[in-house]
Amino acid sequence: GAAVVGNALYVVSQGTGELVELDARSLDPALTVRRSFEVGEGPTGVDVDAVTQIAVVWSQGAHELSVVSLGSGDVERFAVAGDPLDPELARGRRLFHAERDRRISRDGRACASCHPEGRDDGLVWKLGAGPRQTPTLVGRLERGPYAWLGKHERLEENMQETMGRLGGTGLPEAELRSLAAYVRRGLRAPQRPTARAQ
């Protein structure tokens, strides 16, 4: 989610749980962070009222709204609903979207950075084993073998190898299980629109 008010660009960071204010006039706003506000887990939307200088952020992971006073910096958070995912899938979702987790990658890139919503990013990466295009995950992980050459019987082994190629130190087995459970059962393919009866 993003919103522009005057010379400020407000974006939410799903992986860090922040609302970030950038300089909208900059050639590269991402390099001009003015300030950030901690909001709920997994923010996906933001709207800003230019008159009251209030931002409202929807956090999909936490199922809550954050009301941010841009003048004072105060943040109030309001739970809207409980998490529909069971605790293991919720932990996997946090890991899938986690930025700055050096266990997953050296540069802190999240799984969701290359697999947005479990899909491919349309890019080809060189990660030490030759060029590889990011594969779509949704609906493809029920059974192995896994990896480009089908060398892993378990999804967790393939994920651990990928983290190593990304320079990460890897996750413990319990967290790998949660991450595997989330990419198998927590990611959803988009629904096709149903044809209307005429």
Side-chain angles (χ1 to χ4, degrees):
V4 176
V5 176
N7 63 14
L9 170 62
Y10 295 94
V11 296
V12 291
S13 172
Q14 191 171 21
T16 62
E18 295 173 307
L19 170 66
V20 182
E21 180 183 311
L22 308 169
D23 184 349
R25 300 168 301 175
S26 173
L27 291 176
D28 188 350
L31 298 177
T32 57
V33 176
R34 292 178 175 167
R35 57 191 175 152
S36 63
F37 308 90
E38 187 175 326
V39 294
E41 176 194 337
T44 55
V46 61
D47 195 11
V48 180
D49 184 318
V51 176
T52 62
Q53 290 292 294
I54 298 289
V56 179
V57 176
W58 167 246
S59 294
Q60 183 70 33
H63 294 82
E64 64 183 33
L65 290 170
S66 296
V67 178
V68 181
S69 170
L70 300 174
S72 69
D74 292 338
V75 178
E76 290 184 82
R77 293 165 58 174
F78 302 95
V80 175
D83 196 332
L85 296 181
D86 68 53
E88 181 178 42
L89 290 182
R91 179 167 62 167
R93 179 186 60 214
R94 279 191 297 280
L95 290 165
F96 187 78
H97 292 285
E99 293 179 28
R100 302 180 188 154
D101 190 335
R102 302 297 192 262
R103 299 173 307 163
I104 294 170
S105 66
R106 179 186 307 114
D107 62 3
R109 154 183 13 175
C111 303
S113 299
C114 299
H115 303 278
E117 297 183 21
R119 290 148 188 82
D120 67 83
D121 60 7
L123 300 175
V124 175
W125 299 86
K126 186 171 183 191
L127 300 173
R132 297 286 190 263
Q133 185 175 9
T134 306
T136 294
L137 304 177
V138 174
R140 300 181 65 200
L141 302 175
E142 283 305 310
R143 64 187 69 76
Y146 301 99
W148 281 94
L149 302 176
K151 65 181 185 177
H152 296 295
E153 291 300 317
R154 295 177 59 236
L155 178 57
E156 292 85 347
E157 294 166 353
N158 183 58
M159 291 188 305
Q160 199 76 290
E161 180 184 313
T162 300
M163 290 174 201
R165 283 198 323 269
L166 293 171
T169 58
L171 297 172
E173 189 65 28
E175 288 183 304
L176 278 172
R177 278 194 307 272
S178 294
L179 181 56
Y182 176 71
V183 297
R184 280 190 178 115
R185 300 190 323 263
L187 296 172
R188 298 279 183 230
Q191 299 297 312
R192 293 179 183 266
T194 57
R196 289 186 186 177
Q198 294 187 16

